[in-house]
Amino acid sequence: MTFLEKSPLSCLIKGALAILISGCGINDLEFGNLDIPDYEPTLAVPLGVSRYTMRELVGDLQDNALTIEEGEDLFMTIVYMDTSYNDEREAFLYFPPINKSDIVFPFVSSSPAGQTEVIEFEKVITFSFDAFFGEKVDSIFFNSGNLALEINSRFRSDVMLEFGFPSMFETVGNSSVSISDTLSFGTTVPVTSITRMPLGGKKFLFRRREEANDFDVIIKGKVVVKPGQSVDFSDFFRFSIDFSEATYSHVHGYFDRKEGLLQDRTIELKFFETFGDYGLDFKDPKIILKVDNSFGFPSGLLMNNLSASNNDSTSVALTGSITESLQFVNYPKLDSIGKTSHSEFVINAQNSNIRELFGITPVKFNLPLTVISNPDVFERDYLNFMTDSSRFRTITVVELPFEVRMQEFTTNLKFGTDEINLKNLQEAVLRFYTENEMPFEGRLAVNFADENDSILFTVPEELVLTAPQVDASGRTLESKKLLSEIDLGIEGTEALKNADHLNVAIIINTFNAAEEEYVRLYADYALDINISVLGRLKIKTQ
């Protein structure tokens, strides 16, 4: 589908051709028993005058994704908008589930004879989890979940234990956290106990090392040995702690350099599917990327994979200075946790080849954006943070101000003839009278083709629109009037009778296009078209 196939001008062209080659309905007339000879009249069929403004012509091209904006001076701009979200937090911080266990040997021995003996001990156990991707976690603020503590005691006596977590605190009040449990010996070992502590509202601090993150567990215990019982140096208990069900509200630390997709979007520019082919040049096209970021670390965008493609499978990649280096993305600092920072990036003709991309009349714009956290080229901030709602939101705005240059801009139409009665047609002329305020000229080229698309006859090109002069402000001075006729002749008419379809091309050039001058299109520009048909028919009366 092309621009003029959907435009009112296309409908007039198609209607004129249909009336022209249909014999104007003469076959439907009832002649009765009139005794008159065959005759060949010449008929003039006016199709009327139609008036279109640029607002109407462009308005017919809209799809749901675009809006057409008008300035106070009625200058027009096409605007596409698309929004995407990225909340894949694990791409920037891989925080493995903490599930650690250890064996504790209190190294106590006793066999009391007459009275119960209480033996106290204390151990400090250090746990580590590897920084698989260079991340170093300072602290975790928990949102929900449980710390599950499982103990298996091999002592044939009662054991009272207190597990202290010197790096875990209540968020409110900052008081330390501990878990106490008693394992009462019966007749067999092991004696097992599982205790759970809610993690919501607590924070956990870590010690960072080069390749790991550490935390301590302080175990204070009492082994109660009753008469008739005994403990030995080889007695032990095993315990495990499990944070695997935990969720966090936010995490502090350094998350290192990671690379991932901020978005992988394709914007369909249906406007261009109906607008035409090559030869259209926008003076100042823009792609504006608006990024809202609530991740608390420096990051940069790579724009070196953007491209555009058209219906002919031609693809052009975005190049230029904006694609050659990272673009810094603003981010909230530690005193702004939960806030969002805004960045805006403009891809234009000064920093890219964006004119070339829009010059192929693209129907798709591919917008994969790569984001890199903590890149070395930016500040190295060891106080990264991330919350459970951190995300990137990217709003992509495509702006096409209607300041354009069209040089041999061609729109191709195809009309079938299988439903049209051609038998009475002898010769015909298609007449155009136009008054044009729009700053472009247009030629009409027609040929007739058979079912194999072999050309049977080519009609010489005819100018149907002339461009008015443009003043210093970019406005046209006055409308241009033109009377044009396309004479098919006898040969063309015979070819038309044998044609399967008509190929019609509209070739447009804007004012001074060859001098690389751009013209501005305003919503109130008007185009008046008067189309009529002159046809000679052979009519049999008997």
Side-chain angles (χ1 to χ4, degrees):
M1 182 68 69
T2 55
F3 165 54
L4 287 177
E5 279 185 300
K6 290 188 69 177
S7 72
L9 179 57
S10 167
C11 295
L12 277 179
I13 293 172
K14 191 170 184 178
L17 291 171
I19 292 177
L20 165 69
I21 60 183
S22 67
C24 304
I26 292 296
N27 287 330
D28 297 328
L29 296 179
E30 294 290 339
F31 290 94
N33 296 317
L34 292 177
D35 187 14
I36 57 176
D38 297 348
Y39 68 103
E40 297 181 358
T42 298
L43 300 179
V45 182
L47 300 183
V49 177
S50 294
R51 181 180 180 85
Y52 307 105
T53 64
M54 182 57 67
R55 180 185 294 113
E56 292 168 335
L57 292 173
V58 175
D60 284 345
L61 306 177
Q62 291 195 52
D63 61 50
N64 294 331
L66 72 81
T67 58
I68 297 175
E69 298 180 353
E70 297 180 13
E72 292 184 2
D73 60 353
L74 302 183
F75 178 65
M76 305 177 72
T77 300
I78 298 174
V79 179
Y80 273 85
M81 187 173 294
D82 179 79
T83 302
S84 67
Y85 299 89
N86 184 324
D87 57 1
E88 296 180 6
R89 290 173 283 276
E90 289 188 0
F92 304 104
L93 173 64
Y94 175 70
F95 186 69
I98 299 176
N99 190 332
K100 297 292 184 180
S101 63
D102 207 344
I103 296 176
V104 176
F105 289 90
F107 297 113
V108 296
S109 176
S110 177
S111 301
Q115 59 184 6
T116 299
E117 183 177 355
V118 178
I119 306 172
E120 297 184 3
F121 66 91
E122 182 174 329
K123 293 282 186 179
V124 178
I125 307 294
T126 298
F127 290 113
S128 298
F129 64 91
D130 294 333
F132 291 103
F133 301 101
E135 59 274 275
K136 299 174 179 63
V137 180
D138 278 345
S139 55
I140 297 176
F141 291 74
F142 291 105
N143 216 7
S144 64
N146 291 288
L147 186 156
L149 176 64
E150 182 175 344
I151 307 168
N152 291 287
S153 172
R154 299 287 175 164
F155 286 85
R156 295 180 177 274
S157 57
D158 296 345
V159 179
M160 291 177 287
L161 299 172
E162 180 181 332
F163 291 82
F165 299 92
S167 56
M168 180 180 284
F169 302 90
E170 298 287 351
T171 303
V172 178
N174 211 37
S175 58
S176 60
V177 173
S178 62
I179 298 176
S180 298
D181 200 0
T182 298
L183 290 88
S184 301
F185 174 69
T187 58
T188 60
V189 293
V191 180
T192 301
S193 173
I194 298 177
T195 304
R196 287 181 171 83
M197 178 179 66
L199 287 171
K202 297 179 175 60
K203 59 182 178 181
F204 208 110
L205 308 181
F206 296 89
R207 294 194 308 276
R208 291 189 319 208
R209 289 189 293 115
E210 190 64 29
E211 300 297 335
N213 302 275
D214 298 343
F215 65 94
D216 292 337
V217 177
I218 299 175
I219 304 171
K220 296 180 180 179
K222 295 180 180 180
V223 179
V224 180
V225 188
K226 300 176 181 178
Q229 297 178 347
S230 65
V231 296
D232 190 79
F233 283 109
S234 61
D235 289 341
F236 67 92
F237 64 88
R238 181 192 301 271
F239 76 99
S240 64
I241 55 175
D242 182 8
F243 289 81
S244 60
E245 297 179 357
T247 64
Y248 60 84
S249 59
H250 52 280
V251 181
H252 294 170
Y254 174 66
F255 305 157
D256 203 29
R257 186 184 190 276
K258 296 184 179 67
E259 182 175 313
L261 278 176
L262 176 64
Q263 69 169 23
D264 189 9
R265 307 285 284 185
T266 295
I267 296 178
E268 294 188 359
L269 303 174
K270 293 183 179 179
F271 168 82
F272 286 107
E273 288 185 349
T274 60
F275 197 79
D277 303 319
Y278 293 90
L280 174 65
D281 180 16
F282 287 88
K283 183 179 182 180
D284 192 24
K286 295 184 182 71
I287 297 178
I288 303 167
L289 301 171
K290 302 177 180 181
V291 180
D292 293 328
N293 173 30
S294 53
F295 285 97
F297 49 75
S299 57
L301 288 186
L302 275 177
M303 303 184 192
N304 57 351
N305 289 317
L306 278 67
S307 65
S309 57
N310 64 14
N311 278 328
D312 295 333
S313 299
T314 299
S315 180
V316 176
L318 186 74
T319 60
S321 60
I322 198 165
T323 69
E324 295 168 358
S325 59
L326 284 174
Q327 306 299 310
F328 180 69
V329 179
N330 293 320
Y331 65 101
K333 302 300 192 296
L334 279 173
D335 58 356
S336 300
I337 293 177
K339 300 293 182 63
T340 297
S341 293
H342 180 76
S343 304
E344 192 165 301
F345 310 95
V346 179
I347 303 171
N348 55 31
Q350 287 69 52
N351 59 25
S352 73
N353 66 332
I354 193 170
R355 279 184 189 165
E356 182 183 355
L357 271 67
F358 282 102
I360 66 170
T361 317
V363 296
K364 289 185 179 180
F365 230 105
N366 305 303
L367 292 159
L369 295 175
T370 299
V371 63
I372 298 176
S373 63
N374 292 300
D376 293 336
V377 295
F378 298 144
E379 58 185 289
R380 195 170 179 84
D381 186 352
Y382 282 89
L383 295 176
N384 298 171
F385 73 83
M386 184 167 64
T387 74
D388 59 347
S389 59
S390 289
R391 70 175 185 178
F392 289 102
R393 182 180 72 162
T394 305
I395 300 174
T396 303
V397 182
V398 178
E399 286 188 1
L400 298 174
F402 254 119
E403 188 168 8
V404 300
R405 181 170 66 100
M406 289 184 274
Q407 191 166 17
E408 296 298 288
F409 175 72
T410 303
T411 297
N412 294 296
L413 313 172
K414 184 176 181 179
F415 302 124
T417 63
D418 54 333
E419 297 181 0
I420 302 176
N421 180 11
L422 304 173
K423 64 180 180 179
N424 292 322
L425 186 63
Q426 300 299 302
E427 292 183 69
V429 173
L430 184 64
R431 176 177 288 174
F432 286 84
Y433 176 73
T434 58
E435 293 188 27
N436 177 32
E437 291 181 354
M438 302 180 187
F440 51 72
E441 67 177 27
R443 307 193 308 277
L444 194 67
V446 182
N447 64 55
F448 310 140
D450 62 19
E451 63 273 9
N452 298 317
D453 212 27
S454 297
I455 304 302
L456 303 177
F457 183 79
T458 299
V459 180
E461 289 186 7
E462 185 69 33
L463 192 68
V464 294
L465 294 174
T466 53
Q469 295 284 323
V470 176
D471 65 17
S473 69
R475 278 274 189 175
T476 54
L477 295 172
E478 60 181 359
S479 62
K480 277 285 187 176
K481 302 174 182 179
L482 180 66
L483 177 63
S484 307
E485 292 185 346
I486 300 177
D487 188 352
L488 299 183
I490 295 175
E491 182 184 356
T493 303
E494 288 301 314
L496 177 59
K497 291 180 180 182
N498 297 308
D500 174 75
H501 58 271
L502 282 68
N503 297 314
V504 179
I506 310 298
I507 303 121
I508 296 176
N509 287 282
T510 50
F511 178 76
N512 269 355
E515 304 299 324
E516 297 191 359
E517 184 173 330
Y518 291 83
V519 298
R520 295 168 66 86
L521 300 183
Y522 295 89
D524 60 342
Y525 276 170
L527 173 63
D528 295 310
I529 305 173
N530 186 327
I531 302 180
S532 59
V533 174
L534 302 179
R536 185 166 63 86
L537 308 173
K538 183 175 182 179
I539 299 177
K540 291 184 177 295
T541 61
Q542 295 181 2

